Amino acid sequence: MTTAVYPGSFDPTTNGHLDIICRASKIVNKLIVAPLINLSKVHTFTMDERVEHLKILTAHMPNVEVKPFDGLLVNFARNNDAKIIIRGLRAVTDFEYEFQMALANRNLAPDIETLFVSTSVQHLYLSSSMVKEVAQFGGDISNMIPSQIKNLVLEKFSKVV
Ligand code: ADP
């Protein structure tokens, strides 16, 4: 059985994240989507909110589990019997950081492989920070985040439509 972990901030989950989740869930037996508890990063959405969004979005995917983590990713992967770390790659700007992380994780845990899933072209320039920037100024985020969580995300910016 192949288990993979897809870690991230998911602050909030975008169409780009969901695309990676859908595609990765088809190539492994079990996918653990793992929102990161990062004390040095200020998140817009609480952990409970980020987990709620992810659970709503993956409710129909039987092999996807949502499980927050903190500490070292490779330890979390090991504790969950995951041999694969999934990361999404957008433009070249992602590459250096992602490559550095993958090498660091391989150094720590040679038995765990990082697998990069390339973005779909329509999500190339989509990020959580872009969603937040557009939402806070009342812009339309309909084509950036899944419709099931749109109101929950907009509520945060007091712009429910
Ligand atoms: P992090 O803070 O770990 O970068 P993010 O939630 O921003 O967390 O991203 C989690 C993962 O999802 C990263 O591998 C990132 O490159 C990927 N990702 C983010 N947005 C997209 C997108 N639009 N298309 C594909 N992958 C994406």
Side-chain angles (χ1 to χ4, degrees):
M1 166 144 152
T2 321
T3 300
V5 177
Y6 177 33
S9 302
F10 304 104
D11 187 38
T13 302
T14 67
N15 284 336
H17 291 126
L18 187 58
D19 177 43
I20 300 291
I21 293 171
C22 291
R23 288 160 54 206
S25 70
K26 288 178 189 147
I27 56 173
V28 295
N29 299 107
K30 180 176 168 187
L31 180 68
I32 302 171
V33 182
L36 169 68
I37 304 163
N38 186 344
L39 297 179
S40 65
K41 220 171 168 178
V42 181
H43 291 114
T44 304
F45 294 86
T46 65
M47 177 53 77
D48 284 351
E49 288 168 334
R50 289 182 281 145
V51 166
E52 184 191 5
H53 298 169
L54 284 164
K55 283 195 170 161
I56 290 171
L57 297 171
T58 59
H60 64 291
M61 301 179 195
N63 66 335
V64 176
E65 187 185 334
V66 180
K67 199 169 178 183
F69 83 102
D70 61 1
L72 273 184
L73 174 60
V74 290
N75 290 345
F76 177 77
R78 279 207 180 112
N79 292 338
N80 287 278
D81 291 322
K83 291 272 180 251
I84 298 172
I85 294 168
I86 299 282
R87 293 292 285 177
L89 268 190
R90 286 162 295 187
V92 277
T93 42
D94 275 343
F95 183 77
E96 194 161 343
Y97 171 73
E98 293 291 346
F99 196 50
Q100 205 176 1
M101 288 286 295
L103 291 181
N105 284 330
R106 176 150 357 123
N107 197 26
L108 291 166
D111 53 319
I112 298 177
E113 200 63 60
T114 298
L115 202 69
F116 293 111
V117 179
S118 66
T119 188
S120 298
V121 73
Q122 68 270 33
H123 306 133
L124 190 56
Y125 294 106
L126 182 52
S127 64
S128 298
S129 37
M130 187 197 283
V131 169
K132 288 185 276 191
E133 226 161 279
V134 172
Q136 75 183 348
F137 294 116
D140 185 9
I141 55 167
S142 303
N143 59 359
M144 299 181 185
I145 59 161
S147 56
Q148 304 95 301
I149 62 165
K150 183 179 160 194
N151 282 352
L152 290 175
V153 170
L154 287 177
E155 261 170 32
K156 198 80 183 177
F157 299 95
S158 307
K159 294 263 191 302
V160 182
V161 287

